[in-house]
Amino acid sequence: MPSIRDAVVVGAGPNGLTAAVELARRGFSVELFEALDTVGGGARTEELTLPGFRHDPCSAVHPLGVNSPAFRDMPLARHGLEWLESDLAMAHPFPDGTAAVLARSVGETAASLGSRDAGAYRRLVAPLLPRWDTLAADFLGLGSALNGRLPSAPFDLARFGMAGLQPAAWLSRRFRDEKARALVAGMAGHVIAPTTTFATGGIALVFALAAHARGWPVPRGGSQSVSDALAAYLRELGGVIHTGSEVKRLDELPPARAYVFDTSPTALARIAGLGHAYAGYTYGAGAFKIDYALDGPVPWTSPEARRATTVHVGHTAGMIDDALRRATRGQDPERPFLITAQPGLVDPSRAPEGRQVFWVYGHVPNGWDGDATEVVEEQLERFAPGFRDRVLARATAGPPELAARNANYVGGDIACGSAAGLQLLLRPKLARVPYATAHPAVYLCSSATPPGPGVHGMSGHHAARAVWRRLALGR
Ligand SMILES: Cc1cc2nc3c(=O)[nH]c(=O)nc-3n(C[C@H](O)[C@H](O)[C@H](O)COP(=O)(O)OP(=O)(O)OC[C@H]3O[C@@H](n4cnc5c(N)ncnc54)[C@H](O)[C@@H]3O)c2cc1C
């Protein structure tokens, strides 16, 4: 390392690792500091319950990762990343044993919604699907438009925006029956906000198009494989990684021409002495996460749910909206909307033979310190009777445990910032370059910046772009 590094990155989540890689591959010297003993942030894998059961404590399923222009431009497969896809990307079962599904094929998905809505679904996604790659680049590149690069297909983006800027609840009005409405609400529910929130229709559309284009895969070996591949590539490029190094003050770090923070805006303000720069930034509802070791597959009543790596559990669009609304209003969960994943369907390396890992989370108020295990399992039993009999062990984490696991999950908010108001799009605040800060050498690259939460590395990519433009000026 030179005595003055070009860039120091703080935090080895997907965005911090991506920012470090993007700078290193352009010839800049990069050193990265991570608080925990392993890299990964929200993309890690651990034996949380019993020996041989490899759980993802945070992210598990990667529709955004496999479609990320940043990841697709890196040789991550050479560093061990392999995407595995199930027969169905997602199933949304109903109490009568039927299910709406999200398949690779638009036709199969449309057919699962019933004859009254099949045509409306086709008309919604079919025109956009052939343009998905440029749309994905433009959608995930929202930050770069603010960073001096215009969308490559503005007409397509505008067409997407006409449906996508609507709340999911409005988008659902084009459907007549509950199956399609519940499917849309479940996809929008990945944003932890009521389905009447601005632009949640766009989130549902992105998840649907991503499934039809490349599926919703899981990485072989778990989400840690994404982080390990990024870290291996960074080292190959000459980058240096220090783990077990929590950064508390800017002046603890080695001298550098730029500092890039994969942290919450609040932590950045504290560490870099930025005062009240992000005082208006708000955090959203939290998650209650359970990782299960099971003695066999989940006994779903719906045959489709037994074939899908992701299963959404919440009867109707109204019930999903109610569960999200309760969490954002500060009320205890009653019938939580559950996002669940069963990566063992496609990856036998995750558990001893015949056994399964099972991943579940629901939504709870920010900072909530109750135990949601009972309401989560009651909800699972409605769709998979006998589920509890399969449980060998469980590891639970509510907001306090999630926040202790990762400083970015403020109050258990796994999105590192609320999606309320315009904050889903304008993060951390309205600015031409949202990655820049009041300190000319300090940048923010976490999911608190556009395009927001998810394992896609695009916030890191855009922040790195702002940094390399500045560093190149000084060369
Ligand atoms: C339960 C759960 C389920 C999820 N499911 C999915 C999913 O299935 N698919 C998906 O795409 N996304 C999912 N996500 C979201 C996804 O994990 C995050 O959006 C993503 O990891 C954000 O990446 P990041 O790099 O911005 O931050 P993070 O991944 O949070 O990484 C930040 C890193 O910075 C480190 N750090 C923070 N402060 C400091 C400091 N002061 N000094 C040093 N290091 C520091 C942290 O330890 C951490 O390693 C999930 C998240 C959770 C918690």
Side-chain angles (χ1 to χ4, degrees):
M1 274 287 145
S3 56
I4 298 190
R5 287 90 181 138
D6 289 318
V8 160
V9 178
V10 175
N15 285 314
L17 286 165
T18 302
V21 163
E22 297 285 25
L23 290 166
R25 75 201 299 213
R26 284 168 180 82
F28 296 109
S29 54
V30 181
E31 203 164 351
L32 186 151
F33 293 83
E34 163 57 44
L36 299 190
D37 291 336
T38 51
V39 298
R44 58 177 66 248
T45 305
E46 294 166 30
E47 280 188 357
L48 288 174
T49 54
L50 300 170
F53 288 84
R54 308 270 309 147
H55 301 278
D56 292 326
C58 309
S59 65
V61 184
H62 296 278
L64 301 177
V66 73
N67 281 288
S68 159
F71 289 176
R72 289 166 60 75
D73 196 32
M74 294 176 192
L76 299 182
R78 182 157 60 74
H79 292 287
L81 177 61
E82 184 187 353
W83 298 116
L84 302 173
E85 203 189 326
S86 63
D87 188 13
L88 293 175
M90 189 265 281
H92 189 123
F94 297 95
D96 65 358
T98 63
V101 301
L102 197 54
R104 265 296 184 106
S105 139
V106 174
E108 188 178 352
T109 305
S112 78
L113 306 178
S115 56
R116 296 195 335 148
D117 283 331
Y121 184 80
R122 270 199 210 89
R123 284 192 293 281
L124 178 64
V125 298
L128 296 169
L129 191 54
R131 298 171 179 82
W132 166 246
D133 275 340
T134 43
L135 262 176
D138 286 343
F139 176 79
L140 291 170
L142 278 176
S144 69
L146 307 164
N147 208 355
R149 198 163 57 186
L150 290 172
S152 51
F155 179 74
D156 290 337
L157 193 61
R159 183 176 183 154
F160 171 85
M162 276 173 13
L165 290 176
Q166 297 175 23
W170 293 13
L171 189 69
S172 280
R173 288 184 193 152
R174 60 184 73 203
F175 299 113
R176 296 163 76 180
D177 291 326
E178 190 50 49
K179 281 194 167 145
R181 290 181 178 170
L183 188 85
V184 169
M187 291 189 288
H190 285 245
V191 173
I192 308 169
T195 57
T196 46
T197 306
F198 169 69
T200 46
I203 301 300
L205 252 183
V206 163
F207 280 120
L209 291 166
H212 298 314
R214 294 198 180 81
W216 287 14
V218 298
R220 186 183 294 282
S223 292
Q224 188 72 47
S225 308
V226 177
S227 310
D228 288 350
L230 286 165
Y233 184 37
L234 176 61
R235 290 193 180 100
E236 180 183 278
L237 294 165
V240 175
I241 301 176
H242 306 275
T243 52
S245 300
E246 185 189 351
V247 175
K248 295 196 173 127
R249 287 167 35 161
L250 194 59
D251 59 15
E252 289 169 5
L253 291 167
R257 296 165 66 207
Y259 297 90
V260 189
F261 282 82
D262 187 9
T263 65
S264 71
T266 325
L268 170 63
R270 201 172 48 241
I271 295 167
L274 300 178
H276 299 292
Y278 299 108
Y281 192 73
T282 58
Y283 295 91
F288 193 91
K289 172 80 193 312
I290 312 185
D291 286 289
Y292 290 97
L294 302 182
D295 78 352
V298 179
W300 300 109
T301 311
S302 147
E304 292 84 356
R306 291 183 222 141
R307 290 162 49 204
T309 29
T310 299
V311 180
H312 287 169
V313 180
H315 302 50
T316 63
M319 288 167 108
I320 293 170
D321 186 63
D322 184 56
L324 292 162
R325 206 170 285 280
R326 289 184 71 84
T328 49
R329 277 192 191 141
Q331 294 168 304
D332 290 354
E334 274 181 349
R335 273 193 181 206
F337 163 56
L338 303 178
I339 301 178
T340 79
Q342 30 194 17
L345 287 190
V346 288
D347 185 0
S349 77
R350 303 294 296 275
E353 200 179 339
R355 310 280 170 90
Q356 293 284 335
V357 289
F358 183 53
W359 174 107
V360 182
Y361 75 88
H363 306 98
V364 296
N366 190 286
W368 193 73
D369 62 359
D371 184 354
T373 309
E374 191 62 29
V375 287
V376 166
E377 293 184 4
E378 276 171 13
Q379 182 73 315
L380 288 169
E381 284 281 341
R382 290 185 186 105
F383 296 85
F387 170 78
R388 279 200 184 100
D389 300 336
R390 293 267 158 99
V391 176
L392 299 171
R394 57 175 75 68
T396 61
E401 293 80 20
L402 290 170
R405 210 178 255 177
N406 184 338
N408 290 21
Y409 303 149
V410 179
D413 173 2
I414 64 175
C416 195
S418 153
L422 295 179
Q423 212 181 254
L424 179 59
L425 298 180
L426 301 178
R427 302 162 78 88
K429 56 184 179 181
L430 179 61
R432 195 181 65 79
V433 181
Y435 315 95
T437 71
H439 188 309
V442 172
Y443 294 80
L444 182 64
C445 76
S446 69
S447 60
T449 61
V455 174
H456 45 62
M458 291 304 290
S459 302
H461 169 87
H462 298 315
R465 183 179 165 84
V467 174
W468 83 61
R469 284 161 61 128
R470 178 169 174 273
L471 291 182
L473 283 179
R475 261 186 174 170

